[in-house]
Structures are given as C-alpha cells and as structure tokens.
Amino acid sequence: WCYFVDIYYFPIYLQDIRGWSPIIAGVIQLPATCSSSIFGVLAGYINSKTGHYVRCLWFGGGMWAVGTGLKILFARNSNIGLLVGSNLIQGLGIGFTFQPTLLALLSHTDSKDRAIVTGLRNFFRCFGGAIGLIVSGIIFKTILQNQITKKLNDNYELVHKIMYNFTMVKDLDIQVQDVVLDSYLYSFKIIMITLTVMSGFMFALSLFTKDGSDEDDQEEPNHDNDENDIAVKEYSSIDEEANNNNASYIEKFSSKEIIEIVSIEEKSKTV
C-alpha cells in the first residue's frame, strides 16, 4: 500500500505542483529507488552474517515512517535537499523492510509450504498496492475538489474543467493558479499523512515479530536414538543372562562328560 501509493503521488507533486518535467521528476525519484536496492543488499548481508533479521526489520520500519513523514513538510518551494533526503531515508527503510519481511515469513513456515508463502506474499503485496491506489485516488480527488470548490466560491463549471484538464491551470489568473496549487498541495499532504500513519502502524507491528533463528537452533530430541539405546541394552542383558545360564548348565557336567558331548557334536557336524 505505502510503497505503490508513494511512487505514484510523489511524481504528481513534482510535476503538477512544482511544475518540473517528467525527466527531472524521475531523476529526483532515483534516490529512493537506488537506495532501496542498495540497502536491500546490505540488509541481506547483515542477515546472513548475524543470523537475525528482526533488528533490520525494526530499523527499516522506523526509517520508512520517518521518510514518509518528512514529505508532509513539503511546500510549493521546498528545498531540493529535503526532497532528496526524504527519498534517501525512505529508500533506506524500504531496503531494510522488504528483505527481512520475506525471511520472517520463510523462517516461520515449513519447507514444503515456502513456495506457497512466497507466492502469497507477492500477491498480497500487489493486491494491497492496487487497493491503496484506488482508496488514495478517491481521497485525493474528493479533497481536491472540495478545496477548489470552496476557494473558488462554488464556481462548479471552472472546477469541473480544472479537475478533468489540469493543464489549463497555467492559462488561468495567478490568483486562481495559487488556489489550485495550494489545494493540490493540501491533498498531497493528506495522502502523505495517511501513509505515515500506516508506516508507523507497520513499524509497531514489526516490534512483535519474533526472530525465527532462535527457534531453528533448538533441535527436537531424537527419540529414535533413545529407542535404539534401549534395544541395545535389553539385548545385552538377555545375552548376558543366556551366557550365565549356559555357564551354570555346563558346571553340572564333569570334564569327561563334556569331552564326550563335544565329540558327539563334532561327529554330527561331519555327517
């Protein structure tokens, strides 16, 4: 939800509110994309070295919420450093969240179910993004229309033209342009506030995530070995008892009788 909605509405701020070209908007968006990839690799390295992922998950959730929250401070003339910095922090959070989340799912499932869990994780990620875009679109459009209608004194005809043809705004009076752009910025901030709340909620939930590595280290006792040990002991006791019985049985005979018995056994073997 937060990921897809952010990468959709941030370029709207850059192009519609700041008036920059799509190329410039894409360049400013690069810090979030590149940093999330780099920090995702770093998170995987840390997980493999330490054997624990929950700390990366906590750190990533917190940074994601902070990066999204910084976008609430955006204005119509915000410094480029704030734009790039918020994207870097958000990319840091995204990189440290996506990788550990998958590890958390796999560590708490059986090996036979991991393919299904991975597929469901990707499905719900895309499904949540689709639902988030639909809901955010309704919120954004409703707030924008209400703001413009209120500030333009219920000029519904002009509001209708602006809502369905934003490019005409640059041909309007400066005062009307300010009203429309301020309304756009206000609607954008509402979306960012929503995403910040959801990111904070995600961070709070991550604090209850248990590290699966601790559970994996605790091996189940091997009952088969115990049963084998018991069987060996029983066989040894039976064999020892049989030897004792044979010894006591042999003691009943004299040496001469024993020799005769052995010779009879040898003859029977040759026959």
Side-chain angles (χ1 to χ4, degrees):
W1 186 308
C2 298
Y3 178 76
F4 287 102
V5 172
D6 182 86
I7 63 176
Y8 179 82
Y9 281 96
F10 185 63
I12 289 180
Y13 165 81
L14 298 175
Q15 297 180 53
D16 293 344
I17 300 175
R18 300 300 296 265
W20 292 334
S21 66
I23 296 178
I24 299 299
V27 171
I28 297 177
Q29 185 74 15
L30 279 177
T33 306
C34 295
S35 62
S36 63
S37 301
I38 295 173
F39 289 119
V41 175
L42 179 60
Y45 177 78
I46 294 174
N47 293 331
S48 63
K49 285 296 183 181
T50 63
H52 301 279
Y53 56 82
V54 289
R55 294 179 181 87
C56 290
L57 186 60
W58 297 340
F59 178 74
M63 290 298 100
W64 195 339
V66 171
T68 307
L70 288 175
K71 295 184 178 181
I72 302 175
L73 304 176
F74 286 1
R76 288 176 55 185
N77 55 353
S78 294
N79 188 280
I80 190 69
L82 177 61
L83 307 183
V84 175
S86 62
N87 268 349
L88 283 174
I89 295 175
Q90 190 176 31
L92 172 64
I94 293 172
F96 272 83
T97 300
F98 279 177
Q99 176 84 337
T101 303
L102 180 59
L103 292 177
L105 289 172
L106 296 180
S107 64
H108 290 284
T109 56
D110 296 331
S111 58
K112 62 180 181 179
D113 299 327
R114 287 176 179 174
I116 299 174
V117 170
T118 303
L120 287 175
R121 178 249 189 185
N122 295 332
F123 167 77
F124 283 114
R125 177 183 167 187
C126 296
F127 181 75
I131 298 298
L133 287 172
I134 294 172
V135 175
S136 298
I138 295 172
I139 295 173
F140 185 87
K141 185 176 180 180
T142 302
I143 295 175
L144 177 62
Q145 187 171 356
N146 291 338
Q147 288 290 314
I148 296 177
T149 303
K150 185 192 302 181
K151 294 180 180 180
L152 294 181
N153 299 321
D154 298 333
N155 189 344
Y156 295 105
E157 182 179 356
L158 180 58
V159 171
H160 180 78
K161 292 180 180 180
I162 294 172
M163 292 297 298
Y164 292 95
N165 186 17
F166 185 79
T167 56
M168 66 165 293
V169 174
K170 61 183 179 180
D171 299 327
L172 300 174
D173 297 336
I174 299 298
Q175 294 180 349
V176 178
Q177 289 184 23
D178 291 338
V179 167
V180 174
L181 293 179
D182 288 341
S183 300
Y184 251 78
L185 181 61
Y186 179 79
S187 303
F188 172 80
K189 287 187 175 184
I190 294 298
I191 297 298
M192 291 299 109
I193 290 173
T194 304
L195 297 184
T196 303
V197 172
M198 297 188 68
S199 301
F201 182 67
M202 176 196 68
F203 169 68
L205 289 179
S206 69
L207 297 177
F208 296 95
T209 303
K210 296 181 180 179
D211 203 334
S213 61
D214 295 336
E215 299 176 0
D216 295 337
D217 294 338
Q218 298 177 356
E219 297 181 356
E220 294 183 357
N222 193 341
H223 298 290
D224 294 337
N225 292 335
D226 295 340
E227 293 177 357
N228 292 334
D229 293 339
I230 294 173
V232 170
K233 291 179 180 179
E234 291 179 353
Y235 177 79
S236 299
S237 62
I238 294 173
D239 186 56
E240 183 178 357
E241 183 179 357
N243 292 333
N244 294 332
N245 293 335
N246 291 335
S248 62
Y249 177 74
I250 292 174
E251 289 176 354
K252 297 178 181 179
F253 298 94
S254 63
S255 59
K256 184 178 179 180
E257 292 175 339
I258 293 173
I259 294 173
E260 292 178 355
I261 293 172
V262 171
S263 61
I264 293 171
E265 289 183 352
E266 291 293 335
K267 290 178 181 180
S268 63
K269 289 181 181 179
T270 54
V271 176

